[in-house]
C-alpha cells in the first residue's frame, strides 16, 4: 500500500523518523491507508520552508489577481475530482457518501468565494485632517501561518483556512488530524497541480503533541489557526504567547435549539433531528440542546422519538444509510461515558443510549441516536460537548426563560429559534450570545457569512470577509506631500 506522504518545500517526503500510521475505516476498522507519522523535526523543516518562501519568495508580492487565479484553479480541480474526494472523506470519517459530496461542493465554493473577493480587501484612501497629505490603509499578509484542523470535517475545515491564507499572500504549514488525513493529502496534490509555488503551502502529518505543539510555540510562525476541542485550544493559546502570534480559535459548542409552541410542528421536529444526527452528531454546531415550550413538550418528544427509531444506521457507502459510525473506539467510549453520566444525574433516557445490536455493525464504532428528557442546566450532559448523536431536552414556559436557558453555557457558537412570530424571534436572537443564530433553520452556513463563537467557543472568525481579514495585517501609510522644517528646537 502506497504511503501517504508529507508535502514540504514542494516535495513529497516521508517522515524523518521513518514512522507511519495506519488509517482505518470507522465503519469496520479495515485498513484503508498508511500515512507518514511526522514529528517536531518535520514541523521545523516545514516552518523553515514557509518562512523562506514568505521572506524571500515572490508569493506575498504576487498581484492579488494572479493569486486569485490559482485559488480559482484549485476550486476547479476540486470539482473535477469531487467523487474521489468524497469517497476518501467517507472512508476516512464514516459519514455518508451523500454528505461528503455536499461537503465537496461547499469546499469548491469556499475557494471560489475567496478568489472572487480578494480584490475587495486591497485597502482604502482615508480623509486626512492634515493639510498637504495623503493617507491610506492597506492590508498585507500576516506571514507564516500554522493551521491545525479536526477529524470531523477534515477537508471542509481545511478549506476555510487554506483559501483565505493563500489568496492574501501568506505561506502556511497545515497539520490535519492524524486519524483523518486522506483528503488533506489529496488537496495538497491539487494545490501543487494548480501552480502554488514550492514552500508556500506545506503539509505535515503527525500528532498534536509534537507537530501541533511545534506550530504553536515556534517563533517563526506568525499566526496559528486551530479548530478543535476547548482544552487543546487553551493550551495552544498559552503556547502562542511566546511570540504573541495572531490567533484564530474555533473551539466547539453546546448549541441550543429553542422550539416555541407556535412553531410549524412537523418542520421543527424534522429539523431537530437534522440539527444533530448528521455525521452522528460529530458537528461543532449540532443542536444538541433541545429547549421546548412546555405546552408542546410531550407531543414533540413523542413525535421525535418515533422518527429517531427509524434512522437507518450503516455503511456510509450504502444509499439508504442515514447515519454512519463515530470516528474511533476512543470516541465511542467517551460518548458511552457521557450517557452513563446523564443517567446518574437523573435525566430520563427515552430512546437509544447503547450500541446497536445488529451483527453487521459490530465491527464499527456505532452508537444509537439517543434522547434524554428531564434535563436541567446544572447537569454535565447539558453543559459538556458530547460530540455524538445525543439530544438533551429542557422545558421552558416563558420567552425570557428560553433565552436564559440558551445562554447558560460556557459556549456561544450557534443556536436556533423556531416560531411563526418573527417579532418574538428577533427579540430572542438579539439576546442570544452566539456567533450564529438561525430563525426557523439550523446548521445552515455559506462562505459569504462569518463563522465563529462568543465566550469559550473561540476567538476570531472564519468565512466571509472577516475570514479573509484574519490572514492580513492592517497598515496605515501617511504621506506628507509638502514637508517643511518644523523649527521646534
Amino acid at each position: 500500500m502506497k504511503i501517504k506522504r508529507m508535502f514540504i518545500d514542494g516535495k513529497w517526503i516521508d517522515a524523518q523518523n521513518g514512522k507511519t500510521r495506519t488509517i482505518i475505516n470507522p465503519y469496520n476498522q479495515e485498513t484503508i491507508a498508511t500515512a507518514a507519522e511526522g514529528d517536531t523535526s518535520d514541523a521545523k523543516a516545514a516552518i523553515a520552508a514557509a518562512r523562506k518562501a514568505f521572506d524571500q519568495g515572490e508569493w506575498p508580492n504576487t498581484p492579488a489577481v494572479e493569486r486569485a487565479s490559482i485559488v480559482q484553479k484549485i476550486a476547479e480541480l476540486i470539482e473535477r475530482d469531487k467523487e474521489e474526494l468524497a469517497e476518501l472523506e467517507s472512508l476516512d470519517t464514516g459519514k455518508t457518501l451523500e454528505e461528503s459530496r455536499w461537503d465537496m461542493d461547499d469546499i469548491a465554493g469556499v475557494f471560489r468565494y475567496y478568489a472572487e473577493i480578494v480584490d475587495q480587501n486591497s485597502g482604502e484612501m482615508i480623509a486626512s485632517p492634515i493639510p498637504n497629505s495623503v493617507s491610506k490603509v492597506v492590508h498585507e499578509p500576516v506571514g507564516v501561518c500554522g493551521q491545525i484542523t479536526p477529524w470531523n470535517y477534515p477537508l471542509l475545515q481545511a478549506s476555510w483556512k487554506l483559501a483565505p491564507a493563500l489568496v492574501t499572500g501568506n505561506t502556511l504549514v497545515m497539520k490535519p488530524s492524524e486519524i483523518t488525513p486522506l483528503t488533506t493529502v489529496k488537496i495538497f496534490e491539487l494545490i501543487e497541480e494548480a501552480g502554488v509555488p514550492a514552500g508556500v503551502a506545506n503539509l505535515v502529518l503527525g500528532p498534536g503533541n509534537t507537530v501541533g505543539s511545534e506550530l504553536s510555540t515556534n517563533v517563526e510562525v506568525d499566526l496559528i489557526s486551530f479548530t478543535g476541542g476547548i482544552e487543546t485550544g487553551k493550551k495552544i493559546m498559552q503556547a502562542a504567547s511566546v511570540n504573541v502570534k495572531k490567533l484564530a480559535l474555533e473551539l466547539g459548542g453546546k448549541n441550543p435549539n429553542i422550539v416555541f409552541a407556535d412553531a410549524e410542528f412537523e418542520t421543527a421536529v424534522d429539523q431537530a433531528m437534522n440539527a444533530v444526527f448528521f455525521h452522528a452528531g460529530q458537528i461543532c454546531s449540532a443542536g444538541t440542546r433541545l429547549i421546548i415550550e412546555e405546552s408542546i413538550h410531550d407531543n414533540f418528544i413523542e413525535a421525535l422519538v418515533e422518527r429517531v427509531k427509524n434512522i437507518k444506521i450503516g455503511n456510509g457507502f450504502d444509499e439508504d444509510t442515514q447515519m454512519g459510525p463515530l470516528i474511533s473506539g476512543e470516541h465511542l467510549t467517551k460518548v458511552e461515558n457521557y450517557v452513563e453520566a446523564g443517567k446518574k444525574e437523573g435525566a430520563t433516557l427515552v430512546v437509544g443510549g447503547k450500541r446497536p445490536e445488529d451483527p453487521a455493525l459490530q465491527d464499527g464504532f456505532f452508537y444509537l441516536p439517543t434522547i434524554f428528557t428531564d434535563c436541567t442546566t446544572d447537569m454535565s450532559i447539558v453543559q459538556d460537548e458530547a460530540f455524538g448523536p445525543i439530544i438533551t431536552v429542557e422545558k421552558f414556559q416563558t420567552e425570557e426563560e428560553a433565552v436564559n436557558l440558551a445562554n447558560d453555557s460556557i459556549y456561544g457558537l450557534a443556536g436556533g429559534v423556531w416560531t411563526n412570530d418573527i417579532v418574538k424571534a428577533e427579540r430572542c436572537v438579539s439576546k442570544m450570545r452566539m456567533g450564529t443564530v438561525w430563525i426557523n433553520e439550523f446548521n445552515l452556513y455559506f462562505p459569504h457569512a462569518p463563522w465563529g463563537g462568543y465566550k469559550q467557543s473561540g476567538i476570531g472568525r472564519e468565512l466571509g470577509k472577516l475570514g479573509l481579514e484574519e490572514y492580513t495585517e492592517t497598515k496605515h501609510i501617511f504621506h506628507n506631500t509638502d514637508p517643511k522644517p518644523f523649527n521646534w528646537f
Side-chain angles (χ1 to χ4, degrees), residues 54-81:
F54 186 81
D55 294 339
Q56 302 175 32
E58 294 300 320
W59 186 250
N61 300 312
T62 298
V65 66
E66 293 183 25
R67 294 196 302 260
S69 178
I70 291 176
V71 171
Q72 173 67 29
K73 178 65 174 178
I74 296 171
E76 294 168 0
L77 294 173
I78 292 167
E79 291 175 332
R80 182 196 70 186
D81 295 346

Side-chain angles (χ1 to χ4, degrees), residues 428-439:
C428 289
V429 300
S430 70
K431 298 173 184 175
M432 293 169 70
R433 304 268 302 156
M434 293 141 212
T436 296
V437 185
W438 298 283
I439 297 174

Side-chain angles (χ1 to χ4, degrees), residues 316-355:
F317 286 84
D318 293 341
E319 288 187 5
D320 58 346
T321 294
Q322 296 170 310
M323 193 182 89
L326 297 172
I327 192 64
S328 66
E330 180 183 10
H331 190 57
L332 175 58
T333 299
K334 175 186 173 183
V335 170
E336 289 179 317
N337 291 339
Y338 178 95
V339 169
E340 290 306 308
K343 293 176 183 177
K344 291 177 182 178
E345 289 176 317
T348 302
L349 179 65
V350 294
V351 68
K354 60 182 180 179
R355 303 185 189 189

Side-chain angles (χ1 to χ4, degrees), residues 35-302:
E37 180 86 336
D39 60 17
T40 301
S41 58
D42 302 289
K44 287 180 177 178
I47 293 166
R51 186 79 264 166
K52 182 178 178 182
F54 186 81
D55 294 339
Q56 302 175 32
E58 294 300 320
W59 186 250
N61 300 312
T62 298
V65 66
E66 293 183 25
R67 294 196 302 260
S69 178
I70 291 176
V71 171
Q72 173 67 29
K73 178 65 174 178
I74 296 171
E76 294 168 0
L77 294 173
I78 292 167
E79 291 175 332
R80 182 196 70 186
D81 295 346
K82 171 184 173 180
E83 195 65 16
E84 178 187 356
L85 284 162
E87 290 176 3
L88 285 172
E89 193 86 329
S90 287
L91 279 172
D92 219 355
T93 65
K95 70 175 66 172
T96 68
L97 187 57
E98 190 64 21
E99 288 179 71
S100 293
R101 287 173 178 145
W102 295 338
D103 286 350
M104 297 312 136
D105 290 336
D106 290 345
I107 290 161
V110 169
F111 279 92
R112 183 172 292 106
Y113 169 73
Y114 281 115
E116 291 171 350
I117 72 161
V118 66
D119 62 341
Q120 300 175 23
N121 197 51
S122 58
E124 62 176 330
M125 303 300 296
I126 58 176
S128 173
I130 311 300
N132 303 313
S133 70
V134 176
S135 192
K136 64 180 179 179
V137 172
V138 298
H139 303 288
E140 299 177 343
V142 172
V144 175
C145 303
Q147 302 180 327
I148 304 173
T149 56
W151 50 256
N152 61 329
Y153 283 87
L155 192 51
L156 185 67
Q157 293 293 332
S159 72
W160 292 13
K161 303 179 192 300
L162 288 169
L166 288 172
V167 82
T168 48
N170 295 277
T171 62
L172 62 95
V173 179
M174 174 162 281
K175 190 208 91 66
S177 168
E178 60 271 28
I179 61 176
T180 57
L182 300 186
T183 48
T184 309
V185 172
K186 175 64 180 179
I187 199 70
F188 272 77
E189 293 175 3
L190 302 185
I191 285 171
E192 181 184 29
E193 183 179 348
V196 174
V200 169
N202 303 274
L203 172 67
V204 181
L205 308 178
N209 61 3
T210 55
V211 177
S213 178
E214 184 63 32
L215 290 175
S216 303
T217 58
N218 194 300
V219 296
E220 298 298 324
V221 176
D222 302 299
L223 175 150
I224 191 82
S225 176
F226 169 77
T227 301
I230 188 170
E231 294 306 318
T232 303
K234 290 177 180 179
K235 292 177 182 177
I236 288 173
M237 191 173 183
Q238 292 174 332
S241 67
V242 66
N243 65 324
V244 197
K245 290 177 176 62
K246 287 193 71 174
L247 276 173
L249 303 175
E250 203 264 75
L251 306 179
K254 188 68 176 177
N255 311 290
N257 190 12
I258 301 172
V259 181
F260 284 96
D262 62 354
E264 180 61 42
F265 187 89
E266 292 299 328
T267 302
V269 170
D270 179 75
Q271 290 290 333
M273 295 177 62
N274 292 344
V276 178
F277 298 125
F278 276 115
H279 197 16
Q282 298 169 122
I283 307 173
C284 60
S285 59
T288 53
R289 288 185 62 200
L290 187 56
I291 302 174
I292 308 174
E293 189 162 359
E294 189 170 28
S295 62
I296 62 166
H297 173 276
D298 293 351
N299 289 339
F300 198 95
I301 296 303
E302 181 181 358

Side-chain angles (χ1 to χ4, degrees), residues 10 16 36 44-45 49 80 103 112 191 194-195 233 240 308 381 391 408 410 486:
Q16 293 184 35
K44 287 180 177 178
R80 182 196 70 186
D103 286 350
R112 183 172 292 106
I191 285 171
V308 166
I381 61 166
I391 294 175
D408 189 1
I410 64 170
F486 198 59

